[in-house]
Amino acid sequence: MAFALPVWLAVQEELLAEQDGADSATQSCFDDFDDAALYTMFHLTRPCIAFITDAVTVRMKSTAVKKPPLPREVSASSLIMVALHYYAHGVLHADIAQRVSHSQADCFTVISVISGVIAGMADAFISFPQIREARANVAFKTEKLCGIPNVLGVVAPAHFKIRASPYDKDSFRSYVNTLGYTSVVSQVMCDSDGNILSVEKCCVGSTVEQEMWETSFKGREMEEHLHGNTWIIAGKGYKLSKHVLTPVSEPADYKDIRFNDAHAKIHNVMRTTLDLVRRRFRCLMQLGFAQEGSLDKKANIIKACCVLHNIAKKFSVPPPPAAGRIEPLHPGKQRSMPVESNPEALKARQELINKIFSVVSGSQEPRSKGITEEEDV
């Protein structure tokens, strides 16, 4: 996983320090449910929920949460319970809401605040491989999966449905994506194991993914060569570059086809990852109404669910059953200019294809474990 053991140990150490000064007899509201009920209501296991509750409580104590005010005399675990249940189902259950307030407005205030707190934990639980050893480990696992060397992750636009008023035609059209429904979109990156490495932006659904990449922090870092001679796997909506590896649009021979097959294998990891996130956190299947100034709140919910996804994977929480077919990754908008126009990038990709995919073999074994010293400069 990109965020390694030291990060988790540091969090655990902070939690234990907090617990040493707390009343050991204090009972969490989650204790009212047995393990099966916990999973049904929150799509998480008891140890995972306990870790999340402690981590969020610590973050709330260390972060001044002033606006909007939270309901008074309500335990932190009750506030967290309301948010976790909303993430899992996308609706407010009356019995859960009553633990905080009878007012629905209060519950949505709680969800907004807790989402902001959990989104703020992304610095600890959503981590792009920064050091050479971490990059080598991620690249090795990816090469073992698909045969493409020096790959740090997969990038894709993640679309989440939203309701927009058709009476405001300009605003409505801005939310309509390439599959024809209204959405907001975030740029998500994951590794070959489905761990989320980065989540940036929250834009209207019509936003072009290449524009998101070029203005994102991770996009600029990659294109400025801050992560060495490494690749990010991307779909046809992105522009091929020295660090963004797209499929061959018109494969000319068998080695191009084999490369495209390998590319599709790792690219499909993003599809299954986003499907799992939506299955576990069904609020992402419909994020409610698009309102002026609401994108930041939607972004916090999206990022909070990504944080919780990584924590759930760390605790090996099983996914909820599939509700239907996996939604396809969104096709990129047709560009007026050719996508694969960078001669140096075309050359680099072709050299990769010639070197790795010219020889037919029963299995594509990794050449070496990760990135060499010469490659990582």
Side-chain angles (χ1 to χ4, degrees):
M1 215 166 188
F3 46 99
L5 186 60
V7 173
W8 291 86
L9 292 178
V11 174
Q12 289 280 21
E13 184 178 355
E14 187 175 7
L15 297 179
L16 290 173
E18 289 284 332
Q19 291 169 353
D20 285 343
D23 181 4
S24 60
T26 301
Q27 192 175 37
S28 167
C29 61
F30 292 101
D31 295 335
D32 296 342
F33 305 94
D34 61 27
D35 290 350
L38 277 181
Y39 187 82
T40 299
M41 298 190 73
F42 306 104
H43 298 162
L44 300 167
T45 57
R46 188 178 301 278
C48 184
I49 290 173
F51 180 90
I52 291 167
T53 302
D54 290 341
V56 174
T57 301
V58 168
R59 183 60 68 105
M60 289 175 68
K61 289 180 179 179
S62 62
T63 305
V65 180
K66 296 180 180 180
K67 295 180 180 180
L70 294 171
R72 295 183 178 181
E73 299 181 359
V74 177
S75 67
S77 63
S78 293
L79 301 176
I80 295 165
M81 173 181 282
V82 169
L84 292 185
H85 187 270
Y86 171 76
Y87 299 150
H89 299 281
V91 294
L92 287 171
H93 192 280
D95 291 342
I96 300 295
Q98 285 177 358
R99 293 174 178 268
V100 174
S101 170
H102 291 282
S103 167
Q104 191 177 59
D106 281 347
C107 290
F108 280 111
T109 296
V110 168
I111 293 166
S112 178
V113 172
I114 297 299
S115 296
V117 173
I118 299 176
M121 295 161 55
D123 56 353
F125 298 107
I126 297 178
S127 177
F128 192 80
Q130 299 287 346
I131 63 174
R132 177 174 293 147
E133 181 182 1
R135 290 198 294 266
N137 183 52
V138 172
F140 173 71
K141 288 184 177 181
T142 305
E143 187 174 1
K144 189 174 181 181
L145 174 68
C146 68
I148 304 176
N150 301 334
V151 172
L152 294 187
V154 185
V155 65
H159 285 261
F160 305 100
K161 292 181 180 179
I162 197 167
R163 295 187 179 96
S165 172
Y167 297 105
D168 186 347
K169 293 183 179 180
D170 290 338
S171 176
F172 181 83
R173 281 196 295 265
S174 72
Y175 283 99
V176 177
N177 60 37
T178 52
L179 291 184
Y181 64 80
T182 52
S183 69
V184 292
V185 57
S186 292
Q187 177 180 283
V188 176
M189 299 175 68
C190 75
D191 64 15
S192 60
D193 290 326
N195 302 301
I196 293 176
L197 305 177
S198 172
V199 54
E200 291 189 55
K201 306 280 187 177
C202 184
C203 308
V204 293
S206 64
T207 306
V208 177
E209 45 262 52
Q210 180 63 27
E211 293 176 0
M212 294 178 65
W213 172 256
E214 291 173 353
T215 58
S216 68
F217 291 111
K218 284 295 173 282
R220 289 197 294 266
E221 285 180 5
M222 290 297 299
E223 299 300 349
E224 291 172 5
H225 205 68
L226 298 184
H227 298 285
N229 292 335
T230 55
W231 298 100
I232 294 294
I233 297 292
K236 294 180 179 179
Y238 292 82
K239 182 178 178 180
L240 175 69
S241 75
K242 289 188 289 186
H243 295 284
V244 176
L245 193 58
T246 60
V248 178
S249 57
E250 297 181 1
D253 51 34
Y254 284 114
K255 61 179 181 287
D256 288 351
I257 294 172
R258 286 195 292 273
F259 166 75
N260 277 2
D261 288 344
H263 185 284
K265 188 173 185 179
I266 179 61
H267 194 248
N268 195 53
V269 172
M270 175 62 80
R271 184 186 180 199
T272 55
T273 297
L274 292 178
D275 176 68
L276 174 56
V277 174
R278 290 188 182 97
R279 282 161 55 191
R280 193 183 303 282
F281 306 111
R282 291 175 183 165
C283 67
L284 297 177
M285 293 182 178
Q286 177 51 256
L287 281 173
F289 287 94
Q291 299 172 339
E292 186 176 354
S294 68
L295 285 184
D296 287 344
K297 292 181 179 179
K298 308 302 183 189
N300 281 343
I301 291 175
I302 293 167
K303 186 173 284 189
C305 290
C306 290
V307 168
L308 297 176
H309 164 80
N310 279 358
I311 294 175
K313 282 186 64 65
K314 191 67 176 180
F315 280 84
S316 300
V317 181
R325 71 182 184 90
I326 299 177
E327 181 176 325
L329 292 176
H330 285 246
K333 285 194 171 185
Q334 295 297 317
R335 300 169 62 89
S336 57
M337 298 293 290
V339 174
E340 300 170 356
S341 57
N342 185 326
E344 291 185 7
L346 283 167
K347 180 181 177 182
R349 185 180 66 182
Q350 195 58 50
E351 289 176 349
L352 170 79
I353 292 173
N354 292 340
K355 185 175 183 180
I356 304 298
F357 296 96
S358 292
V359 179
V360 179
S361 61
S363 61
Q364 189 71 45
E365 295 294 333
R367 296 178 297 112
S368 60
K369 185 171 181 178
I371 305 165
T372 64
E373 292 289 325
E374 292 76 20
E375 288 171 327
D376 187 28
V377 293

